[in-house]
Each structure stands twice: as structure tokens, then as C-alpha cells.
DNA sequence: GTGTTCACG
DNA sequence: ACGTACGTGAACACC
């Protein structure tokens, strides 16, 4: 047994440390896990580093220890365990159980004392120990056989102390640390020590006299104040030393063998990590386990799954000649479903395809060099992908459509998209990469880089279909999935591929103009500042404004001065430089993000801009747009709005048609809350903000001023976002008390809305999630946070998501139907953009009247609510010129 | 990679 | 007592 290292861990200390080091973290169902997570990472790391043969974790047990018998105020000032930490202790114990690590706790003793007893026992057996803790008191246990690993910053940095290091750091021996503490005391444990003696003096005295007892005995040698203190407080000093001393004579740990560590029960550990949603940890464990396994001869074998108790391998057949193609084709033809995985990017074309059916996985290489030509392989792939009668399973089918487009293949039979399904099941998770989804739902780690990776992906997609389709039905999202999201995939692909025509000449002109404007603004700003600096740097700008020019600091960020637009507007009166900076900011934004940002993304052949719509990003169900983002093209400010002039119809004579829902979110609120006033206003077709003003300010509609209407409008927005008086007051620039009155006034008049908000939050708390009209779901773990700010955020999300999400449901339904109708009628019109509540079409002149009617009707009737949906139609020669049409 | 700012609905 | 409206993507500076 000697030679083995004994690792003794202070469970309480590390749990607290982990709790504070890891920001709030919880499972999708709201179970707090930050301390468990931090503890686990730390534990795995040190076990891996030290590879101990024996391990024990000690916990405090029972509130009263022998130290209270001696001193009733012991630890009186220490705060109790935080509410969010306490429930994590059972999880920690469960973790240690699955790690097969022995837990030690004894009534009436602190973890410290147990640790002391254990290491002392180990020393008797001549076993080296290492103590892991965040508590410096453990340093007194350091000896030739015992070291201490002390947590430094965070959870991963540890300092190792042996005797030499203690001497170096404190100038005294480990045993003398308790004498030292007898003098100095410890505020956190409420150990008094000797008042007036600090670290410096204590250190000097102990070095000179060797121990506290010796010092007290020879106190007459001392002089002045210290002598008087030692006389007066000598009992207190001795008591302090006793309190600080770790008791080593607890009758535990005679049999060291009970701490022998055999390594974790991996199956149980994976199950626990899965329950706690520790995905990174699952992956690292699976990776570690999967090392060193190789395939067999003949059928290529690939161990991409290591789940639970046993490894699981999957073989695949490479299609590399006419005969293997023929036999594969025969099997594929009869397959009920075919999972597809493609390799290659949008530009360079396909490199390989993998197909998985029940019983067989095929790899189809497409880079030649084998007994099958690329053309023959692609021809077969086209037979499968181009035939709507096959039931194809994909992960991110839209991306596959782009990959296949490069080979002239249109993907037809999309039967299931695992990425979209995973999104609906939990839209809040950070990534929908196949690797992540497979890990979560199949508990497998997909290989990467090797040839076998693609067959593994196809098989994962096939298996995921089973899991996810089940989940979609169980959560009542089948209609949303099969009738909205899945058909939308092809609609979005069509939109992306169509692209938007851009006026490159105008773009270049704008770039030059903006460049000149920025130049002259820069010169003016630099001369007013009296020096050259980078205006784009908030740090440098902050220095100029608040230090050099001494302007008042309005707001701070966590790293320095805030210079955002709100701050600058407030400073605009103080110095003429400020307005110039604001304008400079605006121009730089327009030039870099839009004008110059587009250029590299425009297809040089066609002059088309192809955005990517992401269907799996937002937590609410909205789409997002990227590379470039065409959902945030300026409109509010005239200078920016001009950018819209570069967006043209794709052919001369075509027209841009824009259709946007009027007040869709407030209408949804009216429907969901059934508030009589709100419903009535919409049914009558009233000006909703004016009506709100009339209700809140208690005046007749005719008496509503512009200002009143503006404020009411802000209140209406606020209601949707989860209003606070603070936010409203900031937005409309009235005192907070006044904002508060508006909100109260609103809820007084619109009782139905108030009830709806209360109801939705209560329901969310009960179920852990909220839903939209089409049953789209969002889990809200924040609702159960003990942090007030986080919890309030959860509550606002609870009320906003059903509204924003239902609006997303509605426009998505409209898109699917409009696209279907365009195809059925054989129209040449193209849907080109969606901007949350707006659809934009590129319409040939001869289809204009038909499309106007079609779009308006389909959008307004996408979903029947208790209030009408109203769509405003605009048209023009470019996106800037669009004007309201009847 | 993070923080700040700002464009949109 | 707390910090503050919901949802995005992109550019830039700076570590």
C-alpha cells in the first residue's frame, strides 16, 4: 500500500468554492447545478492529474461541533449555506457514489477534523496524502508525508503546499500556524485571537518564542502594549488556538482499504451527467473511453458509440463499383426511410454521401479514384434525392439542398429534419449541430475527420428520427412541425437561392460618399479634441470626453466609461464635439456594416445577395438572417434608410411588393387576453395607440394629443416586453413616478391584460415552460432562480414569448401557404425576404394584381383570431421606394 | 474570445 | 433590496 497516494477532499469547501466560481447554471427543467458542475470538473481534473490509489471526500455533519461546547459564538458570523447551494448536496453525494468514492461524515465534526484524522492515520501507515480544499486552516496538517492542494482563483487553479512552501509563505512551520491563529484570530470563524495583534506582530512573536504557550509563559519578557495585551487576553488566545486546532484523534479510518479507488461506474456516471445535462463532460468521458479501439477487417468498423455499459459498433458498405451500387440500389429502393448525410460545401461540390436504412449503411464516395465514376454515383444520388416518393431523413435539409444544388440536384422527398425537430423540442439550447443532438438524444459521440464519420452521421440521423418524432408527438407539436416548420424549410431554401438583386453601382457611390463624410467628421473631431485618436475605440473616446474635456460621466460600463448614444445625446449640449461623434458613429455603422459589408457577399456573376435564414436559432420561434443579415436594414433614420435603394427587383420591370402585419403582437395580446377594450378597439379598426391614450389619460379620443399618443405607444410596447416603470421612464423621458402612474392606469383599464399576464406567469411557473398558439414551447428555467434579477427576466420572457412566438407561427404559416399557391398557380413571383412581421416579394408586373390579392388574403387569414389580422401593402421600384397601395 | 455599440422587428 | 423592456447579427477594439 505505501507508494499509493491518498487524496482527501474537503467536500464542503470545494462545493462552496464551485458554487461561487460557476455562474448560475441550471438544467432545462430548472434544477440548479452550478456547484455540482464545478465540483465535478474540479474532481475529474485532480483525479486525472494525481491518479490517487485511495480517495475520500469529507463533509461537515451536524450544526453543533465540539467547538461550540467551548465557545458558543464559534462561527456565529458565518452566513448559512445559500439557498441555491443546499439542494445540490444530495446531487454531489450521488455523484460521489457513481464515482465510487468513499464519503466520510461524522456527527459533531467538521470536514477539517475528519481530514486531519485521515491524514494522520495515513501517516502511521507511511502513506502520502494530498488534501484538496479551499480552507487555509488545512495547512497546519502539512508534513513530510502530507501536502495540501489549495484552490486559488476560480476552480481550476490550485496551489500545492509542502513544508517548504509553508515556510516560504509564512516564515513558520505548519504546526505553528495554529499558534499564529491563536494570536491573530479569524473573523470568518469568529475566533477572537488577541485584539491589537495583527499578522506582522504575531508572525514575529511566534518566530521568536516558538509557540503560544511559550510566549505566554515568558510574557514578562515582553514590553509595552503587547505585554499588556498578552496578560489580559492570554486565556482568549489559548481558547483561540484550541478552536483553530484540527482534531486528529477521531476514531475513524483504521482500515485504509475502504478508501481504495477503483474508478467510476461509467454507465451510472453517464446517466447522471445526462440527467444533469453536463454535455461537455459526457463527451470528454466518452472520448476517453473510446480511445484505442480499432476496426476489423472486411466491413469497415467504427466505434462511434460508447453508450452506458458497452461499446457499440456499426459497419457500413462502401459503394465503389457497379455491382455494389446495384445491390445498394435494390435495398434502398425498398427502404421505408432513408437517412442522408452529405459531405462538401456549397461552393466546391459534394465529396461524399452516406445513406442509412434499417439494417444497412452505405458510403458513396464522390471523389473518384475507385471503380465507380463520379457521374454514375451522382446519377444514382439524383434518383434518390430527386424523387419525392422516397422518405428522406436529414439534419439541416436546407444546407443539404444547397450542397446538392452545386451538383444540379434538387432535394425533393424531405420527410424529417432532425435539426428542426431538436429545435422545437428545446429552442433554447445553444447548438443544433448533429454532434450535439446525437449526444443529447442518443448518448453517442460522433467521430470526426475520418472516413467513417459520414456513415456514422447518417445512422445517427436515422436513429434520431425515431427519438425526435416521438418527442414531437408527445409534446403536441406535430402540427407545428409537419405543417409549418418542415414545409418552411423548402420555402426558405427557395428564398435564399433566389437571392436579392443589388445595385452595385449605387453601393459603390454610397461607399465613397460615406468615406468622405467620415473623413471630414474625423478631422473636425480630432481638431476639437486637440489630438488624433481612434474615434471607434470607446476606450480612447472615453479618455477624450471624460478626462481631457472633463465632460460629466453619465454612465459606466463594467470596463470603463459608457459612450453609447443615450449618453452622447445627454452630453450633446455640453460640447460641440459630441454631436460630431454621434454622426461619425452613424456613418461608420452604415459604411462598415451595410455598404461595405455587402460587397464581398454579392455573387459577382449575378449581382445577387443570398442571405441565410436560420430556422433553429431564436428562443421564440422567429427566424434570423445572417451573412448578410437582411432583417436589420436601416429604416428609422433617413441617412440609413437610403441603403434600401440598393435592393432591386431581379428583373427590369419587376416590382418590389412588401406586405407587413399591422400591430400583430398587440392583436395577439388582445386575442390571448380576451380583454374587452383591446378586442373592441381592434374589431372597430381604431387607432390603437390613440385609444390606449384615451383610456390611460381618461380623455375622449378626439382630445388625445400627439404627445399622449406617443406615450401610450411606448406603454403598449412595454406591455408586450414585460413593462417596468424604470424602462418606460427611460424610453419616454418622464420621471419614474409618472411612468408608474401610466402603467397603473393601463392595467386599471385593461384588466384582461393584467389577468392574462398574471395567469401566463403562474402557468409558466407550474409547468416550467410557455407555449404559443401553435403549441411551440420554450422552457424557462430562469423562473426558478433565487436571483431576483434573473427571475424577473424569466417572468418577462414568460409573457413576451407566447406573443412574439405566436406572431412567428402566423407569418410562417402564411409563408408556407403563399409559396404553395405561387407554385400551384405557376407564377414567376419570388418571395425574397421575411423581416419578422413583413414579407417581401419580387413580382413581375403582369402578376402584380394577382399577388397583391393573394398575399394579403393569405397573410390575413393565416390563423383565425378573435380580432382581425390586418396587412398593409406597399410597392415600389426598389425597397426604399415602396409606398402604401390600396 | 469578450465587451460595447447599434441596426432591425 | 434588486436592476431594469422582448428577440436578433455584425463590426470593431482590445485582451
Amino acid at each position: 500500500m505505501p507508494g499509493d497516494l491518498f487524496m482527501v477532499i474537503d467536500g464542503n469547501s470545494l462545493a462552496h468554492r464551485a458554487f461561487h466560481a460557476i455562474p448560475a447554471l441550471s438544467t432545462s427543467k430548472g434544477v440548479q447545478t452550478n456547484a455540482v458542475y464545478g465540483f465535478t470538473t474540479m474532481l475529474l481534473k485532480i483525479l486525472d492529474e494525481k491518479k490517487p490509489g485511495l480517495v475520500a471526500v469529507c463533509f461537515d455533519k451536524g450544526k453543533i461541533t465540539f467547538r461550540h461546547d467551548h465557545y458558543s459564538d464559534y462561527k456565529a458570523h458565518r452566513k448559512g449555506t445559500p439557498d441555491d447551494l443546499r439542494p445540490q448536496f444530495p446531487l454531489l453525494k450521488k455523484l460521489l457514489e457513481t464515482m465510487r468514492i468513499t464519503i466520510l461524515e461524522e456527527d459533531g465534526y467538521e470536514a477539517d477534523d475528519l481530514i486531519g484524522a485521515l491524514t494522520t492515520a495515513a501517516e502511521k501507515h507511511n502513506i502520502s496524502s494530498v488534501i484538496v480544499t479551499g480552507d487555509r486552516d488545512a495547512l497546519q496538517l502539512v508534513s513530510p508525508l502530507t501536502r495540501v492542494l489549495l484552490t486559488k482563483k476560480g476552480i481550476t487553479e490550485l496551489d500545492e503546499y509542502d513544508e517548504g512552501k509553508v515556510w516560504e509563505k509564512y516564515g513558520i512551520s505548519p504546526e505553528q500556524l495554529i499558534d499564529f491563529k491563536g494570536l491573530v484570530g479569524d473573523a470568518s470563524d469568529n475566533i477572537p485571537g488577541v485584539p491589537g495583534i495583527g499578522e506582522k506582530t504575531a508572525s514575529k512573536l511566534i518566530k521568536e518564542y516558538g509557540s503560544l504557550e511559550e510566549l505566554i509563559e515568558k510574557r514578562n519578557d515582553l514590553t509595552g502594549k503587547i505585554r499588556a495585551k498578552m496578560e489580559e487576553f492570554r486565556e482568549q488566545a489559548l481558547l483561540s488556538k484550541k478552536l483553530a486546532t484540527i482534531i486528529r484523534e477521531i476514531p475513524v479510518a483504521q482500515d485504509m482499504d475502504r478508501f481504495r479507488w477503483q474508478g467510476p461506474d461509467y454507465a451510472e456516471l453517464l446517466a447522471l451527467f445526462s440527467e444533469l445535462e453536463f454535455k461537455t463532460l459526457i463527451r470528454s468521458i466518452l472520448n476517453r473511453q473510446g480511445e484505442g479501439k480499432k476496426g476489423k477487417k472486411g466491413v469497415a468498423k467504427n466505434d462511434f458509440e460508447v453508450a452506458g455499459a458497452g461499446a457499440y459498433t456499426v459497419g457500413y458498405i462502401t459503394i465503389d463499383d457497379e455491382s455494389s451500387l446495384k445491390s445498394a440500389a435494390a435495398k434502398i429502393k425498398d427502404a421505408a426511410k432513408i437517412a442522408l448525410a452529405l459531405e462538401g460545401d456549397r461552393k466546391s461540390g459534394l465529396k461524399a454521401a452516406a445513406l442509412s436504412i434499417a439494417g444497412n449503411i452505405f458510403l458513396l464516395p464522390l471523389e473518384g479514384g475507385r471503380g465507380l465514376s463520379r457521374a454514375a454515383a451522382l446519377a444514382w444520388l439524383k434518383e434518390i434525392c430527386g424523387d419525392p416518393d422516397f422518405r428522406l431523413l436529414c439534419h439541416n435539409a436546407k444546407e443539404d439542398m444547397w450542397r446538392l444544388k452545386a451538383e444540379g440536384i434538387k432535394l425533393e422527398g424531405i420527410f424529417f429534419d432532425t435539426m428542426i425537430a431538436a429545435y422545437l423540442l428545446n429552442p433554447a439550447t445553444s447548438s443544433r449541430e448533429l454532434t450535439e443532438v446525437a449526444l443529447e438524444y442518443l448518448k453517442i459521440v460522433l467521430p470526426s475527420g475520418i472516413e467513417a464519420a459520414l456513415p456514422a452521421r447518417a445512422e445517427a440521423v436515422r436513429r434520431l428520427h425515431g427519438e425526435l418524432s416521438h418527442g414531437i408527438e408527445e409534446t403536441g407539436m406535430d402540427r407545428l412541425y409537419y405543417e409549418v416548420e418542415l414545409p418552411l424549410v423548402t420555402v426558405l431554401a427557395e428564398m435564399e437561392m433566389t437571392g436579392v438583386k443589388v445595385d452595385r453601382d449605387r453601393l459603390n457611390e454610397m461607399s465613397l460618399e460615406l468615406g468622405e463624410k467620415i473623413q471630414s467628421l474625423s478631422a473636425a473631431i480630432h481638431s476639437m479634441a486637440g489630438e488624433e485618436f481612434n474615434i471607434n475605440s470607446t476606450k480612447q473616446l472615453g479618455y477624450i470626453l471624460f478626462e481631457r474635456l472633463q465632460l460629466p460621466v453619465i454612465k459606466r460600463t463594467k470596463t470603463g466609461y459608457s459612450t453609447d448614444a443615450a449618453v452622447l445625446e445627454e452630453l450633446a449640449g455640453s460640447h460641440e464635439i459630441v454631436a460630431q461623434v454621434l454622426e461619425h458613429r452613424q456613418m461608420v455603422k452604415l459604411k462598415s456594416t451595410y455598404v461595405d459589408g455587402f460587397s464581398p457577399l454579392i455573387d459577382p456573376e449575378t449581382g445577387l445577395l443570398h442571405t441565410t435564414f436560420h430556422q433553429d436559432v431564436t428562443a421564440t420561434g422567429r427566424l434570423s438572417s445572417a451573412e448578410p443579415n437582411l432583417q436589420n436594414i436601416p429604416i428609422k433614420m433617413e441617412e440609413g434608410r437610403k441603403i434600401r435603394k440598393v435592393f432591386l427587383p431581379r428583373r427590369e420591370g419587376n416590382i418590389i411588393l412588401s406586405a407587413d402585419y399591422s400591430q400583430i403582437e398587440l392583436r395577439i395580446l388582445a386575442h390571448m387576453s380576451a380583454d374587452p377594450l383591446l378586442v373592441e378597439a381592434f374589431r372597430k379598426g381604431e387607432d390603437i395607440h390613440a385609444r390606449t391614450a384615451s383610456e390611460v389619460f381618461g380623455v375622449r379620443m378626439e382630445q388625445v394629443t400627439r404627445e399622449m399618443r406617443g406615450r401610450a405607444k411606448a406603454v403598449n410596447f412595454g406591455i408586450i416586453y414585460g413593462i417596468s416603470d424604470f424602462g418606460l421612464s427611460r424610453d419616454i423621458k418622464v420621471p419614474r413616478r409618472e411612468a408608474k402612474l401610466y402603467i397603473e392606469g393601463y392595467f386599471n383599464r385593461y384588466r384582461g391584460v393584467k389577468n392574462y399576464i398574471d395567469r401566463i406567469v403562474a402557468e409558466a411557473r407550474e409547468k416550467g415552460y410557455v407555449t404559443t398558439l401553435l403549441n411551440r414551447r420554450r422552457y424557462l428555467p430562469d423562473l426558478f432562480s433565487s436571483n431576483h434579477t434573473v427571475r424577473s427576466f424569466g417572468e418577462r420572457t414568460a409573457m413576451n414569448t407566447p406573443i412574439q412566438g405566436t406572431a412567428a407561427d402566423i407569418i410562417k404559416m402564411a409563408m408556407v401557404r403563399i409559396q404553395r399557391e405561387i407554385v400551384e398557380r405557376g407564377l414567376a413571383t419570388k418571395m425574397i425576404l421575411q423581416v419578422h412581421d413583413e414579407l417581401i416579394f419580387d413580382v413581375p408586373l403582369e402578376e402584380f394584381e394577382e399577388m397583391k390579392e393573394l398575399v394579403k388574403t393569405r397573410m390575413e387569414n393565416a390563423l383565425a383570431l378573435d380580432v382581425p389580422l390586418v396587412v398593409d401593402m406597399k410597392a415600389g421600384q426598389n425597397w426604399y421606394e415602396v409606398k402604401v397601395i390600396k
Side-chain angles (χ1 to χ4, degrees), chain A residues 554-811:
Chain A
I554 310 285
K555 196 165 61 168
R556 289 182 178 276
T557 66
K558 65 177 106 164
T559 52
Y561 309 112
S562 171
T563 66
D564 67 21
V567 168
L568 295 184
E569 270 155 32
E570 212 169 319
L571 293 172
S574 314
H575 197 291
E576 51 182 344
I577 194 173
V578 177
Q580 306 287 307
V581 170
L582 270 168
E583 192 168 0
H584 183 270
R585 275 252 177 93
Q586 203 182 33
M587 298 299 137
V588 167
K589 178 85 179 175
L590 295 179
K591 185 168 192 289
S592 61
T593 304
Y594 301 103
V595 176
D596 294 348
F598 292 153
S599 300
L601 300 170
I602 299 171
D603 185 323
E605 311 271 316
T606 60
L608 292 167
L609 205 43
H610 305 271
T611 184
T612 300
F613 287 108
H614 290 291
Q615 205 181 340
D616 70 325
V617 168
T618 71
T620 55
R622 276 187 177 182
L623 298 175
S624 81
S625 155
E627 281 184 284
N629 181 356
L630 294 182
Q631 289 182 322
N632 72 345
I633 305 303
I635 190 166
K636 291 168 187 164
M637 303 290 245
E638 180 54 27
E639 300 94 313
R641 191 175 191 150
K642 290 205 164 65
I643 305 268
R644 296 186 169 225
K645 291 185 184 207
V646 309
F647 293 93
L648 309 175
R650 70 193 187 288
R651 271 204 302 271
E652 188 108 6
N654 281 17
I655 286 171
I656 296 289
L657 176 68
S658 155
D660 70 280
Y661 282 110
S662 157
Q663 315 287 359
I664 188 166
E665 295 191 341
L666 280 176
R667 288 172 199 269
I668 290 166
L669 176 64
H671 172 87
M672 289 181 151
S673 69
D675 182 279
L677 287 182
L678 209 52
V679 168
E680 181 200 56
F682 280 124
R683 286 194 181 155
K684 285 185 176 165
E686 288 174 351
D687 174 340
I688 192 66
H689 300 314
R691 173 66 186 265
T692 304
S694 138
E695 298 292 343
V696 172
F697 298 110
V699 298
R700 287 201 309 277
M701 287 280 274
E702 312 82 72
Q703 295 171 305
V704 172
T705 63
R706 274 182 58 167
E707 191 187 31
M708 290 160 84
R709 185 180 179 281
R711 290 179 179 184
K713 186 175 173 178
V715 172
N716 277 331
F717 271 106
I719 296 298
I720 291 166
Y721 296 148
I723 201 156
S724 77
D725 50 10
F726 180 90
L728 182 64
S729 80
R730 177 164 46 72
D731 252 38
I732 61 177
K733 300 178 179 72
V734 298
R736 194 160 157 178
R737 309 177 48 181
E738 200 173 329
K740 193 161 182 235
L741 288 177
Y742 296 165
I743 295 167
E744 282 166 2
Y746 182 95
F747 284 134
N748 251 322
R749 292 298 295 148
Y750 296 90
R751 298 300 308 163
V753 173
K754 175 76 179 133
N755 289 336
Y756 164 75
I757 291 173
D758 294 345
R759 197 174 71 233
I760 206 86
V761 172
E763 197 185 308
R765 236 181 246 126
E766 190 190 311
K767 292 184 178 164
Y769 61 86
V770 289
T771 55
T772 66
L773 276 189
L774 291 198
N775 230 1
R776 186 188 300 281
R777 185 179 285 205
R778 178 180 184 179
Y779 294 92
L780 297 170
D782 285 356
L783 282 177
F784 308 108
S785 169
S786 62
N787 178 313
H788 170 267
T789 310
V790 175
R791 199 171 56 245
S792 304
F793 177 73
E795 286 161 3
R796 292 195 296 272
T797 320
M799 49 159 306
N800 174 265
T801 297
I803 298 173
Q804 194 183 116
T806 299
D809 293 350
I810 291 174
I811 195 164

Side-chain angles (χ1 to χ4, degrees), chain A residues 186-411:
Chain A
D186 184 336
S188 71
D189 284 352
N190 211 24
I191 294 179
V194 177
I197 294 189
E199 292 191 9
K200 283 265 169 59
T201 320
S203 176
K204 208 182 82 196
L205 291 172
I206 298 298
K207 268 186 223 172
E208 202 174 326
Y209 293 88
S211 74
L212 182 62
E213 287 79 8
E214 192 70 15
L215 169 67
I216 288 171
E217 203 179 308
K218 299 191 176 148
R219 61 185 180 276
N220 290 335
D221 299 357
L222 297 164
T223 52
K225 228 169 72 182
I226 296 174
R227 177 177 173 168
K229 291 279 183 199
M230 285 315 300
E231 186 63 43
E232 185 184 351
F233 293 106
R234 65 175 197 271
E235 286 305 321
Q236 186 169 313
L238 286 168
L239 172 62
S240 293
K241 174 170 173 177
K242 191 166 184 176
L243 291 171
T245 304
I246 292 177
I247 304 300
R248 303 166 183 235
E249 289 83 32
I250 308 170
V252 293
Q254 292 313 311
D255 171 23
M256 296 304 286
D257 240 9
R258 58 191 281 223
F259 302 115
R260 186 150 290 285
W261 187 49
Q262 323 254 350
D265 178 335
Y266 278 106
E268 284 286 312
L269 193 61
L270 286 170
L272 180 65
F273 284 179
S274 163
E275 187 189 323
L276 297 173
E277 300 174 8
F278 292 170
K279 289 179 203 163
T280 334
L281 292 177
I282 294 178
R283 194 169 315 117
S284 77
I285 294 234
L286 288 174
N287 279 337
R288 204 183 308 179
Q289 279 238 300
E291 280 167 15
K293 291 184 179 166
K294 285 280 152 347
K296 288 188 212 153
K297 261 186 93 181
V299 210
K301 286 271 182 176
N302 154 45
D303 57 346
F304 68 84
E305 182 184 47
V306 187
Y312 171 103
T313 55
V314 163
Y316 61 91
I317 298 161
T318 304
I319 302 173
D320 53 5
D321 57 27
E322 291 291 343
S323 83
S324 54
L325 175 69
K326 210 170 160 190
S327 74
K331 284 180 179 151
I332 294 274
K333 233 175 89 180
D334 295 328
K337 288 159 202 132
I338 308 164
L340 184 69
L342 301 176
E343 188 155 307
D345 53 57
R346 291 181 178 193
K347 290 179 81 179
S348 54
L350 281 186
K351 288 184 174 157
L355 301 103
S356 172
I357 58 176
N360 283 105
I361 306 171
F362 302 101
L363 175 65
L364 181 69
L366 290 163
E367 294 202 295
R370 311 210 192 188
L372 191 69
S373 74
R374 179 175 166 89
L378 281 172
W380 179 58
L381 193 61
K382 188 168 186 172
E383 272 178 43
I384 298 160
C385 294
D387 185 344
D389 291 338
F390 283 114
R391 295 176 162 188
L392 299 179
L393 318 175
C394 303
H395 187 83
N396 195 355
K398 179 154 67 65
E399 202 48 42
D400 286 340
M401 294 177 85
W402 271 103
R403 293 192 184 101
L404 288 165
K405 184 184 160 71
E407 308 296 346
I409 299 173
K410 192 154 183 260
L411 184 58

Side-chain angles (χ1 to χ4, degrees), chain A residues 32-308:
Chain A
Q32 295 281 339
T33 54
N34 60 332
V36 188
Y37 181 78
F39 191 99
T40 309
T41 344
M42 223 180 325
L43 183 65
L44 293 176
K45 183 165 174 271
I46 47 175
L47 288 172
D48 202 43
E49 267 174 31
K50 298 285 172 188
K51 306 205 180 338
L54 304 151
V55 185
V57 176
C58 303
F59 284 100
D60 297 343
K61 197 177 179 191
K63 293 216 153 60
I64 305 299
T65 71
F66 77 93
R67 289 181 176 81
H68 292 89
D69 298 344
H70 297 277
Y71 183 57
S72 58
D73 279 350
Y74 178 67
K75 290 198 174 175
H77 290 173
R78 183 153 298 187
K79 285 187 206 138
T81 309
D83 284 344
D84 280 357
L85 174 58
R86 205 170 303 114
Q88 297 190 54
F89 278 102
L91 293 173
L92 275 180
K93 304 244 168 99
K94 178 89 189 290
L95 167 79
L96 293 166
E97 225 169 84
T98 35
M99 290 291 294
R100 294 195 290 202
I101 290 174
T102 308
I103 295 173
L104 205 61
E105 42 187 1
E106 290 285 326
D107 272 321
Y109 291 100
E110 293 186 31
D112 262 359
D113 304 317
L114 296 170
I115 292 168
L118 287 179
T119 55
T120 308
E123 282 169 10
K124 283 184 191 139
H125 289 90
N126 203 25
I127 297 171
S128 314
S129 309
V130 59
I131 298 165
V132 187
T133 181
D135 186 350
R136 291 193 168 266
D137 287 348
L139 291 177
Q140 63 185 274
L141 297 172
V142 167
S143 77
L145 278 175
T146 304
R147 285 163 296 153
V148 170
L149 269 180
L150 204 58
T151 54
K152 275 205 309 201
K153 273 227 151 103
I155 51 160
T156 43
E157 280 185 61
L158 293 156
D159 252 353
E160 187 162 341
Y161 283 79
D162 55 14
E163 282 189 292
K165 178 115 188 220
V166 173
W167 275 104
E168 186 189 309
K169 199 102 184 186
Y170 295 92
I172 51 178
S173 75
E175 307 89 71
Q176 289 173 323
L177 284 168
I178 49 178
D179 299 279
F180 176 81
K181 203 163 170 183
L183 289 172
V184 176
D186 184 336
S188 71
D189 284 352
N190 211 24
I191 294 179
V194 177
I197 294 189
E199 292 191 9
K200 283 265 169 59
T201 320
S203 176
K204 208 182 82 196
L205 291 172
I206 298 298
K207 268 186 223 172
E208 202 174 326
Y209 293 88
S211 74
L212 182 62
E213 287 79 8
E214 192 70 15
L215 169 67
I216 288 171
E217 203 179 308
K218 299 191 176 148
R219 61 185 180 276
N220 290 335
D221 299 357
L222 297 164
T223 52
K225 228 169 72 182
I226 296 174
R227 177 177 173 168
K229 291 279 183 199
M230 285 315 300
E231 186 63 43
E232 185 184 351
F233 293 106
R234 65 175 197 271
E235 286 305 321
Q236 186 169 313
L238 286 168
L239 172 62
S240 293
K241 174 170 173 177
K242 191 166 184 176
L243 291 171
T245 304
I246 292 177
I247 304 300
R248 303 166 183 235
E249 289 83 32
I250 308 170
V252 293
Q254 292 313 311
D255 171 23
M256 296 304 286
D257 240 9
R258 58 191 281 223
F259 302 115
R260 186 150 290 285
W261 187 49
Q262 323 254 350
D265 178 335
Y266 278 106
E268 284 286 312
L269 193 61
L270 286 170
L272 180 65
F273 284 179
S274 163
E275 187 189 323
L276 297 173
E277 300 174 8
F278 292 170
K279 289 179 203 163
T280 334
L281 292 177
I282 294 178
R283 194 169 315 117
S284 77
I285 294 234
L286 288 174
N287 279 337
R288 204 183 308 179
Q289 279 238 300
E291 280 167 15
K293 291 184 179 166
K294 285 280 152 347
K296 288 188 212 153
K297 261 186 93 181
V299 210
K301 286 271 182 176
N302 154 45
D303 57 346
F304 68 84
E305 182 184 47
V306 187

Side-chain angles (χ1 to χ4, degrees), chain A residues 819-884:
Chain A
Q819 181 63 25
R820 197 166 284 160
E821 194 107 9
I822 288 175
V823 172
E824 279 170 9
R825 296 193 196 178
L827 297 170
T829 291
K830 297 287 187 182
M831 195 185 315
I832 53 177
L833 293 174
Q834 188 254 41
V835 193
H836 310 308
D837 65 354
E838 177 186 15
L839 292 177
I840 297 167
F841 300 85
D842 180 330
V843 189
L845 196 55
E846 61 273 21
E847 292 176 7
F848 185 65
E849 292 302 322
E850 183 176 3
M851 282 309 298
K852 226 167 61 182
E853 160 71 15
L854 190 167
V855 169
K856 190 168 163 77
T857 319
R858 291 293 167 185
M859 284 177 78
E860 290 185 343
N861 297 297
L863 189 65
L865 301 184
D866 290 339
V867 295
L869 284 175
V870 171
V871 170
D872 296 327
M873 307 293 291
K874 302 188 183 88
Q877 291 305 310
N878 58 49
W879 199 4
Y880 177 87
E881 300 293 344
V882 291
K883 296 281 142 52
V884 178

